[in-house]
Amino acid sequence: VQAQVQGGGSVQAGQSARLSCGVSGYTDSRYCMGWFREAPGKPREVVATVHNAGGNTYYADAVKGRFTISQDNAKNILYLEMNNLKPDDTAMYYCAALRSSRTYCTGGVYNPMAFNYWEQGTQVTVSS
C-alpha cells in the first residue's frame, strides 16, 4: 500500500491548497475513503468522505462549499482541494480508508477510530 500524503503547508487565509494521498490497495468498490483532521486539543474529525462505489460524498458543515474530495482512479490518488482556507482549518490532515457501505460512508456519523489511517499526515497551517 502506497502510504504517502502530500500537500499542505503554511498558507494565508483565503488561499487554496491541495492534499493528495496514494491509495493503491484501497481502490475496490467496498471502500470508503476519507480525509480527517486533528487540531491541537481537539478530537479527530471527519472532513470529507467518498465511497468508491459510485463516488457519493459527504462534507462536514465547516468545509462544505469550500473543500472538494475527489479521486483519480487511473493514478490511484485521493485528493482534497481546499479553497478559501480559514485559520480554523489549521490541523494535521490524514487520509483514511474503511471497508463500509455507501450509506455509512456518506451518512455523516463516524467513528474516526474505525478507519485505517495512512501513517503520515500532513500539516496545514492557515494564518490570518
Side-chain angles (χ1 to χ4, degrees), residues 12-17 62 65-67 82-87 89 126:
Q12 296 285 322
Q15 292 185 332
S16 299
R66 300 188 296 122
F67 290 14
M82 305 182 293
N83 296 315
N84 190 22
L85 282 159
K86 303 176 180 180
D89 296 319
V126 185

Side-chain angles (χ1 to χ4, degrees), residues 72-93:
D72 183 329
N73 294 324
K75 297 181 180 179
N76 295 330
I77 298 176
L78 181 72
Y79 294 104
L80 183 68
E81 187 75 35
M82 305 182 293
N83 296 315
N84 190 22
L85 282 159
K86 303 176 180 180
D88 283 349
D89 296 319
T90 296
M92 185 71 78
Y93 283 73

Side-chain angles (χ1 to χ4, degrees), residues 41-63:
K42 295 184 179 180
R44 187 167 297 188
E45 62 179 5
V46 65
V47 176
T49 63
V50 59
H51 199 273
N52 285 350
N56 304 72
T57 58
Y58 167 82
Y59 294 94
D61 287 343
V63 307

